[in-house]
């Protein structure tokens, strides 16, 4: 019943995702959320570590783009040094922003991974298009009230997810 909410892979952070993980799952491109996935939601620009990780992926032929529900202002500033293809105000889990990103990447959904920290936007959106979905733990625990409410429901989903896997 919750299948469409279940990630294909759960990791602590993006830094637990390496080339081997991607190769094993035949992943050629990444669509990545920004807030609380790459950096804490209140960090304005990509930090060196996340930039290094993205550059490492790109240098091995992995295509990367960003899809964020946040404002154009936030996303453009964050992307200033990264210079990636971005979709802002994406309205995830809607399909449109993911289709836009896939069109740009030129990859099939099944060879594209959606990486994000939220089940009801990132994972659900990615799963709807049959992408490979990777859930990361949110970087910052300080979040807006609405997101904190969503976290309660995420916990319920994940407890079922882990029971199913056992
Ligand atoms: Mg996020």
């Amino acid at each position: 019943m919750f299948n469409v909410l279940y990630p294909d892979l759960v990791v602590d952070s993006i830094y637990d995702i390496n080339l081997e993980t991607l190769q094993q799952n035949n992943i050629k491109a990444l669509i990545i959320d920004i807030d609380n996935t790459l950096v804490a939601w209140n960090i304005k620009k990509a930090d060196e570590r996340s930039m290094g990780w993205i550059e490492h992926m790109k240098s091995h032929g992995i295509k990367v783009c960003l899809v964020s529900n946040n404002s154009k202002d936030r996303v453009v500033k964050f992307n200033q040094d990264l210079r990636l293809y971005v979709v802002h105000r994406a309205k995830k889990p809607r399909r449109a922003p993911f289709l836009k990103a896939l069109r740009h990447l030129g990859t099939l959904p099944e060879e594209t991974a959606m990486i994000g920290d939220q089940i009801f936007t990132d994972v659900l959106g990615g799963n709807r298009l049959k992408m490979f979905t990777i859930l990361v733990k949110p970087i910052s625990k300080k979040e807006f009230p609405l997101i904190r409410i969503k976290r309660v429901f995420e916990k319920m989903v994940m407890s079922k997810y882990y029971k199913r896997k056992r």
Side-chain angles (χ1 to χ4, degrees):
M1 166 185 163
F2 286 125
N3 277 4
V4 78
L5 296 172
Y6 290 160
D8 293 299
L9 187 68
V10 182
V11 292
D12 282 341
S13 96
I14 55 160
Y15 305 108
D16 297 314
I17 304 166
N18 54 35
L19 287 166
E20 251 187 348
T21 321
L22 302 184
Q23 275 155 10
Q24 278 164 4
N25 293 289
N26 193 32
I27 301 301
K28 299 189 170 82
L30 307 174
I31 297 177
I32 313 175
D33 168 57
I34 297 176
D35 295 324
N36 261 344
T37 297
L38 281 173
V39 294
W41 59 269
N42 53 351
I43 302 295
K44 297 263 180 289
K45 285 182 103 180
D47 58 11
E48 261 178 46
R49 194 176 180 204
S50 61
M51 283 180 71
W53 181 85
I54 288 171
E55 285 308 320
H56 171 71
M57 291 299 173
K58 281 170 66 183
S59 71
H60 286 84
I62 303 292
K63 292 178 181 174
V64 181
C65 75
L66 306 175
V67 174
S68 169
N69 279 358
N70 214 326
S71 67
K72 182 179 180 182
D73 205 44
R74 188 312 185 240
V75 173
V76 167
K77 250 183 219 144
F78 178 83
N79 191 38
Q80 225 161 46
D81 297 327
L82 279 170
R83 296 173 176 276
L84 295 168
Y85 180 81
V86 293
V87 182
H88 53 80
R89 284 244 182 273
K91 298 190 176 141
K92 293 177 280 186
R94 286 197 189 176
R95 292 153 156 276
F98 299 107
L99 289 170
K100 205 171 161 188
L102 285 168
R103 230 176 290 135
H104 173 82
L105 293 165
T107 50
L108 297 168
E110 57 267 32
E111 54 190 19
T112 309
M114 172 64 218
I115 306 173
D117 69 300
Q118 287 198 48
I119 288 178
F120 298 103
T121 54
D122 304 313
V123 173
L124 174 59
N127 282 344
R128 287 182 75 195
L129 285 168
K130 307 256 184 291
M131 294 197 285
F132 188 81
T133 48
I134 305 177
L135 181 69
V136 302
K137 289 203 178 122
I139 292 173
S140 169
K141 282 199 174 10
K142 283 187 200 153
E143 292 183 301
F144 290 110
L146 181 67
I147 294 182
R148 289 215 301 271
I149 292 166
K150 285 205 275 184
R151 296 293 182 202
V152 175
F153 291 100
E154 286 186 343
K155 262 196 183 153
M156 289 163 62
V157 172
M158 289 314 282
S159 93
K160 286 221 187 297
Y161 171 86
Y162 287 116
K163 275 181 197 149
R164 177 205 66 151
K165 288 198 105 182
R166 251 179 245 144

